[in-house]
Amino acid sequence: MTTFERPDTARLVRLRLAENADDVDALFVLAALRVQDGDVKSGLTILDHVLRVDPQYPGAWRFKAKLHRMEGDAAGERLAEARAEDAGQ
């Protein structure tokens, strides 16, 4: 029987970003990791970078809306939701 070792996601993200600082997949995961650690503002900042690189990145606008909601920013949430709708997300 082979055991499965869970990869260190944060390490994998760091490696991907060392190769390409604009890797939107790695950046999106990094944003989620920051939020998971309780740093919502950092997650939003990283998502802003993702959306500058790829304004159509799947799920980014919805995630951004959720983070604004977590921060109590109703206007930011509405704006991100509208952008998600425009992007077909």
Side-chain angles (χ1 to χ4, degrees):
M1 177 180 230
T2 305
T3 59
F4 176 75
E5 249 185 76
R6 174 179 250 175
D8 180 353
T9 304
R11 181 177 174 279
L12 293 173
V13 166
R14 284 191 306 273
L15 289 172
R16 294 275 303 264
L17 292 173
E19 292 175 13
N20 176 6
D22 288 333
D23 181 321
V24 289
D25 294 326
L27 286 165
F28 189 85
V29 172
L30 180 61
L33 289 171
R34 293 286 166 83
V35 171
Q36 186 177 21
D37 289 340
D39 190 354
V40 176
K41 287 193 186 307
S42 181
L44 279 165
T45 299
I46 295 166
L47 275 180
D48 286 340
H49 184 77
V50 168
L51 291 164
R52 277 191 304 277
V53 174
D54 182 359
Q56 301 297 318
Y57 189 82
W61 288 110
R62 295 275 180 211
F63 188 33
K64 188 170 180 175
K66 181 178 182 176
L67 298 186
H68 280 299
R69 186 174 338 125
M70 290 170 69
E71 290 285 288
D73 179 1
E77 178 184 3
R78 283 191 303 273
L79 180 61
E81 284 289 345
R83 293 293 303 264
E85 291 296 321
D86 291 346
Q89 295 181 8

